[in-house]
Amino acid sequence: MTLLADDHTSAVFTGTWTPAKGGDAPVVSPSTGTVLGRIGIAGGEDVRDAAARAARAQRDWAAASFEERAAVLRRAGDLLEANAEEISGWLRREGGAAAGMAGFQVHVSAAECFEAAALASQPHGEILRTAKPRLSFARQVPVGVVGVIAPFNVPLILGIRSVAPALAVGNAVILKPDPRTAVCGGAVLAEVFRRAGVPEGVFQVLPGGVEAGQALIADPHVRVISFTGSTEAGRKVGEAAGRHLKRAHLELGGNSPLVVLDDVDVDAAASIGAWGSFLHQGQICMTTGRHLVHEAVADAYVERLAAKADALTVGSTEEDGTALGPVIDAGQRDKIHSLVTGSVDAGAQLRAGGTYQDLFYRPTVLDRVGAATPAYAQEVFGPVAPVVRFSSIDELVELATTTEYGLSLGVLTHNPMRGMEIADRVPSGIVHINDQTVDDEAVAPFGGVGDSGTGSRFGGTRANLEAFTETQWVTMQADPARYPF
């Protein structure tokens, strides 16, 4: 079964879900530089037209039974699983994902659909007490049209985790994927939901840039914006949404710490640390951006971490056996390298990596890092592991909290209760004790605090209902009320 057309310059990239008024752009493999095809780019007029269509179509979709919506979402999950090989191929070619990461994205995306199918039948209200002779209750109703703005780095998951639950509770959805991953993060989902039976206009995909994003936020038909991206861009999205009095769920950057206490198995800890920093070239919001290591085990930890970095294969993700693929583009590569060289200039010791060829950046370990070191103080979004040493828990907590971010925290220790004590003192939306900082499950709430986001959550019944519905108070009584005038 082929999900997308073989002629990648026609049916895949043109259709009712893909606009052309904003021009078009090439779809490029970051591994090889090969142009895989072209994709239509949405302009502001495309977004406004799509929002009007979505608002009209949403009424019937919301009126459909929960069984109908659940069936569509189950079919979407089945289609993702049935076409996993083809979808993974696009994630590898266009998204620069290694085979394992590509497969993980498909697996989680299917799970998001199945969980959303179950969401459609969940209770959506509560009976309230009232002092009057009437029935009083609160119910969750669809917001109408949800705008989803998804990034390039994990495009399939970071789109579907908002798209699926928003559809499940009766909303129409407009998805704006990053143009750099418009196929694996956009065209794939458009075709999956078309085949799953989503009515025309209920789900639309509009790849685009700043103009499309601004139009989506400003359009009066769109009542909720779900944005995943950098903190800098998220601030602008939040400000614009506030001007238009609409909710914005902002899932933003991170500089997540992995704490290594003095009672760990150092070999196991270094393996965990390497995975947390180097998976998907470090292009994950939850990537382990800071290794906070007790001085008693720091030398051994750095030695083993550097050895693991040196042993990893870096190359085209279109080939099997590659551990790390390319970063997304030259701009991101140059930012990574600038932070690494700036850190070395500031006194950090380069223990592994620090070099690149084309878009392939070697996994990098920096030792003797301080709180002001560029690669420690800023989110690198690349395969870089800065190591800072500490001698006491109070010093550790101070180091861990000297950041504006608060997305994910990992603590490695033989005693999990020590991990909980640290978690109590370090603000973070996610905590993993005896694991690294990167994880995602469709059933779990996900979100950060501080500059990592607005604290909104995706995942799980309660979080998704709160994110994509409005609460409406309803009363009813047998006889009309009587008043003195």
Side-chain angles (χ1 to χ4, degrees):
M1 178 180 179
T2 301
L3 183 68
L4 300 180
D6 292 331
D7 179 3
H8 301 315
T9 61
S10 58
V12 175
F13 303 107
T14 60
T16 58
W17 52 270
T18 313
K21 294 175 183 176
D24 63 6
V27 176
V28 179
S29 164
S31 286
T32 65
T34 303
V35 175
L36 305 171
R38 303 195 70 82
I39 190 77
I41 297 296
E45 185 179 350
D46 296 304
V47 172
R48 289 185 287 273
D49 290 346
R53 285 194 302 272
R56 292 192 296 269
Q58 186 268 336
R59 301 184 191 104
D60 289 339
W61 178 245
S65 73
F66 72 84
E67 294 173 315
E68 293 176 66
R69 294 197 299 272
V72 167
L73 286 154
R74 284 195 298 271
R75 288 194 292 269
D78 288 340
L79 283 162
L80 285 165
E81 290 187 335
N83 294 276
E85 183 176 355
E86 182 185 355
I87 297 169
S88 293
W90 276 106
L91 288 163
R92 294 171 69 175
R93 290 191 299 274
E94 182 192 28
M101 183 62 179
F104 175 74
Q105 287 196 60
V106 178
H107 168 74
V108 171
S109 297
E112 292 284 357
C113 289
F114 296 137
E115 286 299 320
L119 179 67
S121 61
Q122 289 298 306
H124 66 117
E126 59 180 343
I127 303 296
L128 305 175
R129 294 186 182 276
T130 176
K132 299 180 179 182
R134 62 185 180 183
L135 175 64
S136 176
F137 61 94
R139 63 175 182 168
Q140 304 303 125
V141 298
V143 300
V145 181
V146 173
V148 179
I149 302 175
F152 72 85
N153 56 318
V154 191
L156 197 61
I157 294 176
L158 300 184
I160 195 66
R161 74 175 179 188
S162 294
V163 169
L167 288 173
V169 295
N171 297 297
V173 177
I174 298 173
L175 168 64
K176 190 197 82 63
D178 190 301
R180 290 171 290 186
T181 48
V183 179
C184 59
V188 162
L189 292 178
E191 184 61 12
V192 161
F193 280 104
R194 186 189 71 80
R195 294 193 186 191
V198 169
E200 185 175 353
V202 170
F203 177 55
Q204 299 175 71
V205 176
L206 290 86
V210 173
E211 181 187 352
Q214 291 173 337
L216 192 62
I217 297 166
D219 194 280
H221 294 105
V222 180
R223 298 311 310 156
V224 166
I225 295 292
S226 177
F227 172 85
T228 304
S230 70
T231 297
E232 180 183 4
R235 290 186 192 278
K236 296 176 182 176
V237 170
E239 290 170 3
R243 286 197 300 272
H244 295 284
L245 299 179
K246 60 183 65 177
R247 275 188 287 157
H249 303 304
L250 305 177
E251 180 51 49
L252 309 178
N255 194 8
S256 298
L258 177 68
V259 175
V260 182
L261 296 184
D262 56 355
D263 58 355
V264 298
D265 177 321
V266 176
D267 286 328
S271 173
I272 292 169
W275 184 265
S277 281
F278 304 143
L279 175 66
H280 197 43
Q281 301 80 258
Q283 296 178 128
I284 304 172
C285 59
M286 298 167 282
T287 288
T288 300
R290 298 178 292 154
H291 296 242
L292 310 182
V293 186
H294 194 280
E295 60 184 12
V297 296
D299 286 342
Y301 180 83
V302 170
E303 180 182 354
R304 287 163 175 77
L305 185 63
K308 290 183 180 298
D310 286 338
L312 289 171
T313 57
V314 180
S316 172
T317 52
E318 298 184 24
E319 300 175 3
D320 293 332
T322 298
L324 276 70
V327 296
I328 192 65
D329 58 26
Q332 181 61 24
R333 177 203 64 202
D334 293 344
K335 176 197 170 190
I336 295 166
H337 196 57
S338 175
L339 289 170
V340 169
T341 56
S343 297
V344 173
D345 291 343
Q349 296 179 3
L350 182 66
R351 297 294 301 271
T355 61
Y356 66 86
Q357 182 176 359
D358 299 324
L359 298 181
F360 303 103
Y361 206 94
R362 287 292 314 173
T364 299
V365 177
L366 296 170
D367 192 13
R368 303 292 178 178
V369 168
T373 303
Y376 178 90
Q378 301 178 46
E379 181 185 27
V380 178
F381 220 65
V384 179
V387 178
V388 175
R389 298 156 186 250
F390 68 88
S391 59
S392 69
I393 297 299
D394 287 341
E395 182 185 4
L396 158 66
V397 170
E398 183 176 356
L399 284 168
T401 54
T402 54
T403 178
E404 296 80 10
Y405 297 107
L407 182 53
S408 187
L409 166 68
V411 183
L412 306 184
T413 174
H414 185 70
N415 181 354
M417 292 307 298
R418 294 181 73 192
M420 279 301 299
E421 291 169 4
I422 292 168
D424 287 342
R425 299 177 65 182
V426 179
S428 184
I430 301 166
V431 178
H432 299 298
I433 296 172
N434 283 327
D435 205 349
Q436 42 79 40
T437 55
V438 181
D439 203 357
D440 192 14
E441 289 188 84
V443 297
F446 185 99
V449 299
D451 283 5
S452 290
T454 54
S456 302
R457 296 293 192 266
F458 309 95
T461 300
R462 185 178 70 177
N464 282 331
L465 279 174
E466 290 176 353
F468 301 115
T469 63
E470 302 284 7
T471 301
Q472 183 184 72
W473 180 37
V474 181
T475 69
M476 64 175 69
Q477 54 199 54
D479 298 315
R482 296 180 181 273
Y483 297 96
F485 56 87

